[in-house]
């Protein structure tokens, strides 16, 4: 394993220290591994907290700031944070109007956030939860853990953050978050496995001409293995899967998201293909992002997220945001 | 089981989890995210530190403290699940010395907590698949049988398709791999034997 | 080779098509492989053109937009653009006040930009050139090709772009660009080699416990090979090399830049170390960027750039910018 | 050399550059950025297309067109350098048929253009190191000797430390590798022999 780290056990703590040094406008709580808006809690504003395992940077700590999150909890690499930390984040975010938890749908994240929400409730903080489960590679069923939360998390955080900034109630902020999630689908393909600092070697071996199709963002293998194909075919696979699970036309927010080890030039090639294919299916790319936003350490791979957006969602997407990872309009 | 024996049980779990951390991580790499060993190692190291100097009057005190520490230090799926199990066990064992029958009831309460929290059914390829036969064996034949039952059940998860936890994302590809959580459950029962 | 591409020969053209789809506010000239501000030329403004081989994304096309570049030329991967393309970019950028060429110091870039400048001169367009040569891993000497242009290019483009936006003359814009370059030093370390689409395999083999020290951004090997060390020691090496070649204290703009295959979490660990080390040497991180900005395809590696900034440079750094790769203040 | 022979020379260069592209790229990967083969292949393919149907009245017309096309299609260091060389050669050869002596003068003008543009000294481990002895040998003994001299000189760049071009960034590590540009220069002279 070759990484710019000091010690596999301390990666998250030290990355947070680096984030704190780079962003004096944010507050880092090293004990609870939190990233907090410098001016939190904002009086009267619905607070927004997200978090999860680390290794997905800039998600979530990179999305803390005006217009998006009030606080983010960084668990160990690929390990959801603990209730105490989530509770601390919730307290830090609460400006008296309650706090929204944006939770990616993984058993660990769900359980720890649930416990934290209970503890926060005991303290008199109103908490609502939006569960993000956009990854259409996984079949949805009440008998299983359900779909994973991946790229749509960014859109949920952005849109909910914008509505909260306008002074909306906890209930309304939660509702728009759920709407965005419901209208979003994602699908990812990996060319290499991720190497966690703790394991020290790639999570799986992948021959030099194969890819994992339908992967998540935790370095796990995908739904199936296939021969590597041209960018056009990869894009077609992604677009098909998403529009099958989440049909729709008209305006969309489209994210072509690198998994950490894939350079921008390839993501743009992929975006070109995606844009052509979506056009053929009467989906209009109203807004887009191309880059490494919701990652899986050093995994080479890419994910497509499509969110069928209405005017309100687009308006909130366009609203000013000022965070390390996303910034516009301010 | 008295307070001292309860402490010994937890210490034995901590030792075996530390020794087997790599195995657990390897199992979790195959069908999960490769952190189960690290999670439990970190968790039980914290439990060890928390129990050191902690004044326990009842067996339940030891187990409740263990559960609370796991919840606040592990994270992931296994943290809340094991943490809640130990907390549930602790709640039922309110005296300094408990009978084997009381311990059996406590283990059953632990299992119930896991099932309630995680919603897994038997056969979903989770720690529940090891807990269930282990608790039954404990009640019928005691700790040795429980450990053996848990180990056998953990091995038997290999043939199952996961329906809960991260392994469920792999669909049919989860078949052929032993569940890491069921494996660590077997370690917990072996430490009790 | 596993990449999200269709054909190794078409990567640049298709990535530009993707960029055009993602950024309707920009204009892409596919024949000349140019990225141009949608509203270029801006009447009366000093135009700014940069460019070079592709594979360094978001540099340069990702830095086209208000507050930064008017046009960027994308050569083939790691191959400088041709004079015709640079001339076309210069024409597109010329609003009547002349055009600044920002050129990274590589023989190919220098020669092709020189030829284009001559051709532009023949057409009556005034051209000045800022040569960026910040890579202190290379010894400076009049007998050699000199130092390479790397991370400081971004700072030169940003600061010169801001001054041009204020209406400054070509001469003044060139002068501030040269000042920024003179005050900047960079140093990079690679953990893996880059794979160009044309070559199809990594440019060099690197054992699993070794790194290349003092690499550039074209996939070439570095000045020496060394055992991989902790992030702290890598940071110390970088800081030492830069402050030896470019001594100075006080305010600095600091860039911890990934080479394409290194995830953000590691860059933040590195930034934490850099910030401590610079503090010990009385350098104040007045502004910073952490991320993949000046890359080398999929190379795992990181570079540090330090620019000793005065008040004017900081003011221009803070000025509004709206490009795909950098955006703030607007 | 007449116009037809000039065309044949360029066609021969295009063929050999295409055949040897991988070798050139491999050499450039070791001490440069691995594109020299692709650059020349792309360039001479464009030259071929440009000359096809192009009406050339003099030998110089062919070479000037070649140079201009290389400049506008190759990029990198070798594009302007080779492009300027061919353009400089073309300028001196203003008749439909030229003597060997005139061709020798033209090659010298080509070398001068490379040296003026790139500023490389002999021994800097560049294409200049092959051009220089090749031009000298051409003048003394003709095209065969020139090709042999270029090939020998290209091989001899192996022991040099680069002071110009990308290889210079490697410092002492550039020693032990043959210069790609000197190697392609040898191909150009071999195509003339
Ligand atoms: N819903 C659930 N109910 C019971 N056990 C579960 C459930 N989900 C996961 N598990 C158990 O947790 C184990 C994984 O734990 P761990 O790797 O520590 O957490 P995570 O999956 O969050 O990385 C699985 O092997 C499985 O036995
Ligand atoms: N200043 C120079 N003068 C003469 N030849 C040079 C100079 N710089 C580089 N070269 C030649 O150019 C060759 C590299 O060409 P190429 O790989 O096509 O361009 P680039 O270096 O821009 O990638 C070198 O091997 C060397 O022979
Ligand atoms: Mg985990
Ligand atoms: Mg796990
Ligand atoms: Mg090149
Ligand atoms: Mg080259």
């Amino acid at each position: 394993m070759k990484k710019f780290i000091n010690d596999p056990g301390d990666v998250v703590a030290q990355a947070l220290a680096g984030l704190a040094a780079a962003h004096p406008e944010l507050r880092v709580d090293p004990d609870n591994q939190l990233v907090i808006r410098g001016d939190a809690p904002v009086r009267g504003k619905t607070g927004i907290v997200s978090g999860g395992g680390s290794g997905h940077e800039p998600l979530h700590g990179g999305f803390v700031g005006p217009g998006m999150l009030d606080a983010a909890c960084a668990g160990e690499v690929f390990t959801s944070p603990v209730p105490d930390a989530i509770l601390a984040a919730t307290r830090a975010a609460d400006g008296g109007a309650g706090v929204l938890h944006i939770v990616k749908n993984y058993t660990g994240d769900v359980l720890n956030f649930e416990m934290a929400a209970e503890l926060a409730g005991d303290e008199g903080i109103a908490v609502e939860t939006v569960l993000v489960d956009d990854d259409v590679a996984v079949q949805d069923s009440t008998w299983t853990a359900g779909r994973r939360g991946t790229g749509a998390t960014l859109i949920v955080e952005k849109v909910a953050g914008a509505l909260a900034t306008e002074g909306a109630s906890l209930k309304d902020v939660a509702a728009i978050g759920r709407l965005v999630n419901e209208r979003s689908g994602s699908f990812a393909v990996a060319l290499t496995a991720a190497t966690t600092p703790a394991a020290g070697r790639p999570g799986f071996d992948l021959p030099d001409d194969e890819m994992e199709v339908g992967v998540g963002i935790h370095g796990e293998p995908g739904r199936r293995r296939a021969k590597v194909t041209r960018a056009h075919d990869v894009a077609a696979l992604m677009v098909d899967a998403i529009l099958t699970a989440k049909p729709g036309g008209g305006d969309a927010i489209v994210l072509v998201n690198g998994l950490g080890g894939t350079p921008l030039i390839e993501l743009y090639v992929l975006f070109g293909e995606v844009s052509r294919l979506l056009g053929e299916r009467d989906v209009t790319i109203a807004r887009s992002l191309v880059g490494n936003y919701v990652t899986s350490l050093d995994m080479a791979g890419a994910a497509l997220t499509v969110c069928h957006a209405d005017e309100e969602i687009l308006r909130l997407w366009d609203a000013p945001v000022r965070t390390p990872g996303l910034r516009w309009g301010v | 089981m008295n307070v001292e024996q309860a402490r010994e049980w937890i210490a034995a779990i901590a030792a075996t989890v530390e020794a087997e951390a790599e195995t657990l991580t390897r199992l979790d790499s195959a069908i999960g995210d490769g952190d189960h060993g690290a999670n439990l190692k970190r968790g039980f190291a914290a439990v060890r530190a928390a129990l050191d100097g902690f004044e326990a009057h009842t067996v339940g005190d030891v187990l409740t403290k263990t559960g609370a520490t796991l919840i606040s230090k592990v994270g992931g799926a296994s943290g809340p699940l094991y943490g809640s199990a130990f907390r549930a066990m602790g709640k039922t064992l309110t005296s300094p010395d408990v009978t084997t029958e009381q311990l059996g009831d406590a283990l059953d309460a632990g299992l119930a907590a896991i099932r309630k929290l995680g919603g897994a059914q038997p056969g979903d390829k989770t720690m529940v698949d090891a807990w269930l036969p282990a608790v039954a064996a404990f009640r019928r034949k005691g700790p040795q049988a429980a450990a053996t039952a848990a180990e056998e059940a953990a091995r038997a998860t290999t043939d199952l398709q996961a329906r809960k936890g991260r392994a469920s994302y792999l669909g049919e590809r989860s078949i052929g791999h032993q569940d890491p959580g069921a494996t660590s459950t077997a370690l917990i029962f072996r430490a009790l034997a």
Side-chain angles (χ1 to χ4, degrees), chain A:
Chain A
M1 172 181 61
K2 294 197 280 190
K3 287 182 186 294
F4 295 113
I5 61 174
N6 290 308
D7 181 77
D10 275 352
V11 176
V12 176
Q14 295 187 356
L16 285 173
L19 184 88
H23 295 285
E25 74 277 16
L26 301 175
R27 231 158 61 214
V28 167
D29 169 350
D31 296 329
N32 287 303
Q33 301 198 157
L34 308 181
V35 180
I36 308 165
R37 250 178 89 153
D39 58 352
V42 181
R43 273 288 114 215
K45 187 183 89 67
T46 298
I48 307 198
V49 167
S50 191
S54 292
H56 310 304
E57 292 67 28
L59 189 83
H60 298 270
F63 299 141
V64 173
M68 217 160 162
L69 302 179
D70 294 278
C73 317
E76 291 307 310
V77 171
F78 293 167
T79 302
S80 82
V82 296
D84 303 23
I86 302 167
L87 176 62
T90 307
R91 282 189 200 125
D94 182 39
V99 175
L100 179 69
H101 284 179
I102 298 176
V103 183
K104 303 196 295 306
N105 186 36
Y106 302 99
T107 308
D109 294 63
V110 170
L111 297 182
N112 286 284
F113 269 92
E114 257 173 28
M115 290 185 163
E118 254 177 58
L119 297 170
D122 292 350
E123 294 186 6
I125 305 175
V127 172
E128 287 261 356
T129 300
V130 172
L131 213 59
V132 183
D133 61 346
D134 56 314
D135 183 3
V136 303
V138 174
Q139 289 308 43
D140 204 10
S141 150
T142 47
W143 302 106
T144 66
R147 287 179 167 150
R148 295 173 283 214
T150 60
T153 315
L154 179 155
I155 309 178
V156 172
E157 292 178 0
K158 171 67 186 75
V159 169
L163 194 64
T165 305
E166 292 181 355
S169 71
L170 174 58
K171 208 172 123 274
D172 289 348
V173 174
I176 195 95
R178 289 187 193 112
L179 182 72
V180 168
N181 175 59
E182 205 181 288
R183 290 168 163 244
S184 299
S186 298
F187 195 97
V189 165
L191 302 181
T192 68
T195 298
T196 61
R201 50 188 147 62
F204 50 83
D205 293 316
L206 199 51
D208 215 39
D209 61 342
E210 295 189 5
M211 59 186 184
E212 286 280 344
V213 176
V215 297
I217 53 171
H218 292 87
E220 67 270 44
R223 299 293 294 195
R224 61 185 176 88
R225 206 166 262 204
K227 291 283 168 204
V228 171
T229 55
R230 291 156 31 111
H232 174 84
D233 303 308
V234 171
L237 190 88
M238 291 170 161
V239 167
D240 268 346
I242 292 171
L243 293 188
T244 301
K246 303 268 176 161
D251 283 345
I253 300 173
V254 174
L255 170 59
V256 167
N257 176 46
L259 294 186
T262 288
L264 207 45
I265 190 169
E266 296 179 39
L267 299 180
Y268 273 118
V269 170
L270 217 42
F271 188 86
E273 297 296 339
V274 164
S275 105
R276 226 185 328 268
L277 290 159
L278 286 177
E280 289 168 12
R281 312 269 296 247
D282 295 322
V283 175
T284 309
I285 302 185
R287 304 290 186 277
S288 65
L289 277 182
V290 182
N292 288 280
Y293 292 102
V294 179
T295 61
S296 185
L297 291 174
D298 55 349
M299 184 176 251
L304 173 64
T305 298
V306 176
C307 170
H308 299 293
D310 59 17
E311 263 181 47
E312 172 77 346
I313 292 175
L314 290 181
R315 188 181 66 78
L316 294 167
W317 177 259
D318 290 339
V321 59
R322 196 161 67 149
T323 70
L326 276 194
R327 96 173 33 208
W328 58 68
V330 281

Side-chain angles (χ1 to χ4, degrees), chain B residues 79-101:
Chain B
L81 291 168
Y82 279 137
S84 300
F86 278 96
R87 246 184 7 182
M89 287 193 264
K91 272 197 197 150
T92 74
L93 300 171
T94 50
S95 51
D97 203 343
V98 299
T99 65
T100 303
E101 200 186 321

